[in-house]
Amino acid sequence: MRYIAFDVETPNGANDRMSAIGVAVIENGEIVQEMATLVNPETYFHRFNIQLTGITPEAAAKAPAFPVLWNELEPVFSSGVLVAHNAVFDMGVLSKCLQAYGIGWKDTAEYACTVQMGRKCFPGLPNHRLNTLCEYLDIPLDHHQAGSDSYACASLLLRYQQEGLEVERFHRKYDLTSRRTLQQLRR
């Protein structure tokens, strides 16, 4: 099974554009590819998002816009199951961004959420935030940096597999048009 762990950062609360994206591809039980880049969101930045991510409008202005990056991302995203921490957020941003730019991809995408897996695998933790899980499992993390977050998400997935978790049981189908989870996929 091929998994594409990804994380997005957004410039504002509309969550319809990206200011950064990170991707870590998992194949045969290891991370085989990584990518992280700023994204020019071509929209305004809110102070909260700048403080959270450290991404400024000036830094993002020098980066490629999403449609340019999508040419590189699409073949990767189409090659496996998408995975994110709090995946409904990241899937929603991806969907809104595709729609905002009028980019057609596909109607639905298979995905899995490492928060849900973490709750099953480590139920005794006080919460299942990315930083909490990474601290507990000694996974390096520079939180709210898309490359670090996607790598951490991929590392969590690998750790869950080592713990014997059947990741396939957490696969879901996301409707990219209506921006909602359709169903759990039975395997």
Side-chain angles (χ1 to χ4, degrees):
M1 186 67 64
R2 182 174 161 100
Y3 291 99
I4 295 79
F6 78 107
D7 178 77
V8 301
E9 302 300 335
T10 60
N12 57 57
N15 298 327
D16 62 352
R17 300 291 176 98
M18 299 175 192
S19 55
I21 187 165
V23 178
V25 178
I26 302 166
E27 256 182 30
N28 301 318
E30 64 181 286
I31 298 169
V32 296
Q33 180 183 354
E34 291 180 71
M35 174 193 148
T37 184
L38 293 178
V39 181
N40 182 342
E42 301 182 306
T43 191
Y44 73 96
F45 278 73
H46 189 274
R47 183 178 322 145
F48 172 82
N49 297 68
I50 294 170
Q51 291 173 339
L52 182 69
T53 66
I55 302 169
T56 64
E58 297 78 19
K62 300 172 188 167
F66 180 78
V68 174
L69 291 171
W70 185 244
N71 292 325
E72 183 179 347
L73 292 169
E74 188 276 330
V76 177
F77 276 44
S78 295
S79 70
V81 177
L82 302 179
V83 179
H85 200 76
N86 191 17
V88 172
F89 173 80
D90 295 273
M91 294 298 293
V93 173
L94 175 63
S95 173
K96 287 179 183 180
C97 202
L98 288 166
Q99 288 178 358
Y101 282 106
I103 298 171
W105 181 33
K106 52 186 174 179
D107 294 333
T108 62
E110 193 170 343
Y111 80 95
C113 179
T114 53
V115 171
Q116 293 175 356
M117 290 181 243
R119 289 180 182 139
K120 180 71 174 175
C121 209
F122 301 105
L125 293 178
N127 64 62
H128 296 86
R129 295 181 188 125
L130 186 60
N131 57 329
T132 302
L133 284 160
C134 287
E135 183 177 328
Y136 180 74
L137 297 171
D138 201 28
I139 295 171
L141 177 67
D142 186 3
H143 204 19
H144 298 296
Q145 301 302 306
S148 180
D149 287 2
S150 63
Y151 182 86
C153 180
S155 298
L156 285 174
L157 181 74
L158 292 172
R159 180 61 186 268
Y160 298 153
Q161 289 176 321
Q162 290 170 1
E163 295 288 325
L165 192 71
E166 295 178 46
V167 174
E168 294 82 9
R169 297 185 68 195
F170 292 85
H171 288 198
R172 306 286 187 270
K173 188 175 281 193
Y174 191 86
D175 184 323
L176 292 160
T177 304
S178 64
R179 291 187 297 278
R180 64 185 180 92
T181 299
L182 295 175
Q183 64 191 34
Q184 178 174 350
L185 300 177
R186 301 283 177 204
R187 299 243 181 241

